[in-house]
Amino acid sequence: MLSEGFHDVPAGAAAAIVTSLEMFERPAPRPEVENPGWTLRRMPSPTIEEYRALYTAVGRDWLWFMRLRMPDAELAALLADPVVEVYRLEAPGGELGILELDFLEPDTCELAFFGVTKGLVGGGAARWMMNRAIELAWSRPIKRFWVHTCTFDHPNAPQFYMRSGFKPFRREVEIIEDPRLAGLAPLDSAPHIPVIRPA
């Protein structure tokens, strides 16, 4: 447990506050854009290259890194697992979204990754995709649906999840090697998180 007060983060690292949220029953759907022209398509057993291209397109500005540093064999096995479902949101103009549902834990679904590219932010695509995520998760015999977000993500993410029916239950501090300095992300990605290089 961290004591109250400030704690140094090493140069070359980045730190985030992680909030986990959960729901135990399917909520009523939130209002959404009608006939938006978006398509949500499942990607059964996507290749590593297909998956990482989508993951990077959506997560570049939010410093998503977990799937980029995961060994290829481990990621390939995860993507081939029938209890992991990856969906691609396609929108006019080439904008994209990713929805990844993980049913690995019994009676549980984790919203492992969820997001849209910059051109779709604020236009209703995330709400539309969240309504589909809730439908898909609760179409299985689960008892709990959960997600975590962090201060690397869009600042409205916690409120968005809470409006969707999730309730916060845990807060953690995560310290990681900065993916930009590790060569996993461009140096100009996630400009809201300054890079601090080691001396």
Side-chain angles (χ1 to χ4, degrees):
M1 294 290 290
L2 292 175
S3 59
E4 187 173 344
F6 290 91
H7 299 271
D8 282 335
V9 175
I17 305 298
V18 181
T19 301
S20 296
L21 307 95
E22 63 189 354
M23 63 172 71
F24 294 98
E25 59 184 8
R26 180 175 176 172
R30 298 275 299 176
E32 62 182 43
V33 175
E34 294 184 12
N35 304 314
W38 303 317
T39 303
L40 189 65
R41 178 175 62 85
R42 184 167 181 192
M43 302 172 66
S45 299
T47 66
I48 293 173
E49 293 75 20
E50 290 173 325
Y51 176 86
R52 284 192 174 136
L54 177 60
Y55 180 91
T56 301
V58 175
R60 181 181 187 274
D61 288 329
W62 312 115
L63 216 58
W64 289 9
F65 66 92
M66 292 178 63
R67 298 293 195 247
L68 301 179
R69 72 179 186 188
M70 181 179 282
D72 287 355
E74 186 178 340
L75 179 58
L78 181 76
L79 297 175
D81 195 317
V83 298
V84 175
E85 300 180 2
V86 179
Y87 296 85
R88 175 188 174 105
L89 176 75
E90 297 175 348
E95 298 292 345
L96 299 168
I98 187 172
L99 164 61
E100 184 175 334
L101 300 174
D102 179 332
F103 294 93
L104 287 164
E105 184 180 343
D107 301 322
T108 299
C109 178
E110 178 186 359
L111 182 58
F113 291 99
F114 179 94
V116 296
T117 51
K118 188 178 295 185
L120 292 177
V121 173
R127 171 56 55 210
W128 184 86
M129 190 165 66
M130 177 56 74
N131 283 349
R132 306 292 83 75
I134 290 170
E135 290 171 2
L136 289 163
W138 289 101
S139 69
R140 300 282 198 95
I142 64 169
K143 296 178 181 177
R144 177 175 176 258
F145 187 26
W146 78 283
V147 63
H148 72 266
T149 185
C150 74
T151 48
F152 293 162
D153 288 331
H154 192 287
N156 294 340
Q159 289 299 319
F160 174 82
Y161 289 127
M162 290 168 67
R163 288 194 302 272
S164 301
F166 293 94
K167 295 183 179 179
F169 70 93
R170 182 173 63 217
R171 184 169 290 123
E172 301 166 289
V173 175
E174 180 180 26
I175 298 175
I176 60 165
E177 179 185 11
D178 193 319
R180 295 164 296 189
L181 296 179
L184 296 175
L187 282 172
D188 63 349
S189 58
H192 62 297
I193 306 163
V195 174
I196 300 178
R197 296 176 179 274

